[in-house]
Amino acid sequence: MYVPPAFRQTDLPALHREIGNCRVATLVSHGQNGLQASHLPLLLRPDEGRYGTLYGHLARANPHWQVLAEGTEALVMFNGPDAYVSPSWYPAKAEHGKVVPTWNYIAVHAYGRAEVFDDAERLRSLLAGLTERHEGPRPQPWAMDDAPQDYIAGMLRAVVGFALPIERLEGKWKLGQNRSEADRRGVHDGLANSTEPRDRDLAQRMNG
């Protein structure tokens, strides 16, 4: 990922928060048959390894897990809020007109080599963690124990888990840091007044 110095984010807790905010990540690997990409929810264990370790699972029928098992480097992309930026929001437009549209966004890229596993107990622990993450806030959260255990056992046999210790972590916060303070305020106000929730989300992040 191309990251100009003005947009580079290196604060590990901030990078981990962004990973946690992303509900579905994109896993990309290159194997003997070329590129493979999968979209999936992941768990981050921030205290495992220098940059943390990512855990996830793939359908056994998905050949991507076999690519992971080859031990080549994988890339995991976490996309945060993003928004179109209109030149009309820049005060500089009225001053000299030398402005063009752009796109602001937040993204985190994690790199590492995965270990795949299909141990039933380890898979169950992983899936229980993913379930708790997404069911926990619900008024009546579903739990794996709510389903028949033979059914769960069959589902576990249908997936393969992986652990990916993060070896390299990149963050890009493209929020107009290369613009004047007046232009940044103009963009913030334009996004904050948008009817699009994602625009307003990015405006809030500009305050951070």
Side-chain angles (χ1 to χ4, degrees), residues 6-7 85 89-92 104 173-191 202-203 205-208:
F7 304 145
V85 175
W89 293 337
Y90 295 135
N104 282 1
W173 268 230
K174 185 177 180 292
L175 302 175
Q177 298 95 318
N178 57 333
R179 306 291 309 187
S180 69
E181 183 60 30
D183 281 353
R184 291 194 71 198
R185 284 198 304 270
V187 171
H188 172 273
D189 293 346
L191 294 174
L202 194 63
R205 303 300 295 276
M206 292 180 71
N207 290 328

Side-chain angles (χ1 to χ4, degrees), residues 72-83:
T72 57
E73 186 178 50
L75 163 65
V76 188
M77 295 181 285
F78 301 89
N79 292 326
D82 65 273

Side-chain angles (χ1 to χ4, degrees), residues 101-114:
T102 190
W103 209 279
N104 282 1
Y105 58 88
I106 291 175
V108 176
H109 286 187
Y111 302 81
R113 290 168 174 79

